[in-house]
Structure formats: C-alpha cells, structure tokens
Amino acid sequence: MPVDIPYINIHTHARSTDSKHIEIVNVMVSHQPPQDGYFSVGLHPWQLAEGRWSEGLKGIGICRNHPRLLAIGEAGIDKTINVSLDFQNEVFRNQVLLAESWRLPLIIHTVRGVNELIEMHRKLKPTMPWIIHGYNGRATIAENYLRQGFYLSFGKSLVRPNEALKSALQICPDDRLFLETDDAQIDIIKVYEAAAAIRGIEPEALKDLIYRNFVRLFGERIA
C-alpha cells in the first residue's frame, strides 16, 4: 500500500492534470487511446447504429493488446433511446463475451435496464466484474445489483444527493464500491468528500478501501 494513497476515478471522459489521481478514461471506438494513463473502450448504447455494430466491435479489437487497457465499456442497455432492445442486448452480450475472453472488467451504462442486465448476468454467469457506473438509483435497486455480484460506482449526484441515493450508498459494501466523475466538470476529491460524509467515515479511510478494490480488480494489469 503506498504511503500517499491515490484517488481512484473509475470512469471519466477527461484526463485530470493531478498526477495523484488514477483514472480510467472512457474512449470511443472511433477515437485513439490516450497518450498516457489507463482507459476503457466499448460501444455505448448511444453509439449504436443498426447494421454497423460489428464494425464497432472490430474497433474495440484493435485495442486488445494495449498495455493500458483496463476495462471494456462503457457498454449497456438504455431504454430511453431509439434503438431496439433486442439489438442493444445483442451488442451488449457480445461485449460481455469480449470482456470474458480478454479477462477484463465491464463498465456498464444503463437507463431503466436493471431487469435486462440482471437476467443477462444470470444467463451468461460472467467471471469478470460488472461495474454499474454513475449509479443514482434507489437502495432497493442497488440491492438487486449487489445480490447478483455487481459493483456500484457513484458520481456527481452525491454532491447534492436525495435520501434514496444516500441510502443506496450506505448499503453498498466496502468491497463493491467505486467513485467517478463521468463527464461532469467536478474534481474527484469532491465526490470522495461527499461519499465519506454520507457513509460516516474519514475521507482517507474511503481512499484506502477504494484503492484496495481497484488493486483487487485490476492488479494484474497495473503491476
């Protein structure tokens, strides 16, 4: 364990200038990986176009042996977009299989897709971790994810949380918790401070447990 424990930002769209932060920057399949730091790559539901998803998967494949690729994603299910649910499920399933083949965790975007994700998890029985990013739902939904073995990552909503989100954060076990900034113009430190206050622990203790989670999930690739 390092003396100065870094802040872990499990999902962001912009690289921080602070060298004390460890981040996984999300990369679109049409973009080049960042010149430094860790990244994830995947087909976001918003990117899907009927009949072209196989090209997107090939784009992910280009990154297969990149030494700084830590996760597949963000991938997932979004019921608010004009893309058929069957098609979204097909593309998501292929990314799950890719994550399993490459031995990488999966970072998930979902809007109203909890039942589909849990059913897919039950069917495929993945061995790699699934991380729901930007979680801002109720504790009852969080419990459903947690029972299935998911990890939860909380973000900017913690700065001005409602009571339902506070409860969801409070029930999340220490070993299933991550924090993030996503696409928000906010410092990850602010998210940590808000999360620590809600959970009733010191920020340094929160840094320690999230760092341990990060090493446990990604240790082989960050060594």
Side-chain angles (χ1 to χ4, degrees), residues 42-123:
L43 270 171
H44 192 292
W46 296 354
Q47 293 179 278
L48 301 183
E50 296 288 348
R52 298 182 57 191
W53 64 271
S54 60
E55 296 175 15
L57 290 180
K58 290 177 182 177
I60 299 173
I62 294 172
C63 298
R64 177 171 187 171
N65 296 316
H66 199 294
R68 292 184 278 106
L69 175 65
L70 290 193
I72 299 297
E74 52 189 295
I77 304 294
D78 190 329
K79 289 185 176 179
T80 66
I81 62 176
N82 189 27
V83 178
S84 76
L85 187 56
D86 286 344
F87 181 57
Q88 290 192 56
N89 276 320
E90 182 181 6
V91 176
F92 178 66
R93 180 179 179 278
N94 274 272
Q95 292 184 90
V96 171
L97 298 178
L98 203 61
E100 290 293 299
S101 175
W102 295 2
R103 307 298 299 162
L104 293 174
L106 187 66
I107 295 175
I108 297 174
H109 164 96
T110 184
V111 180
R112 304 176 188 170
V114 56
N115 293 333
E116 288 76 13
L117 289 176
I118 289 177
E119 181 62 22
M120 184 83 72
H121 196 278
R122 287 172 176 161
K123 285 182 177 178

Side-chain angles (χ1 to χ4, degrees), residues 126-139:
T127 60
M128 300 310 297
W130 286 18
I131 304 167
I132 301 293
H133 101 81
Y135 188 80
N136 63 359
R138 302 187 304 274

Side-chain angles (χ1 to χ4, degrees), residues 1 18-19 27 34 44 68 72 87 104 109 124-125 131-132 134 146 160 178 188 206:
M1 181 70 63
D18 194 326
S19 61
V27 174
H44 192 292
R68 292 184 278 106
I72 299 297
F87 181 57
L104 293 174
H109 164 96
L124 297 181
K125 298 179 172 57
I131 304 167
I132 301 293
L146 293 167
R160 292 185 179 138
F178 284 108
I188 190 65
L206 183 61

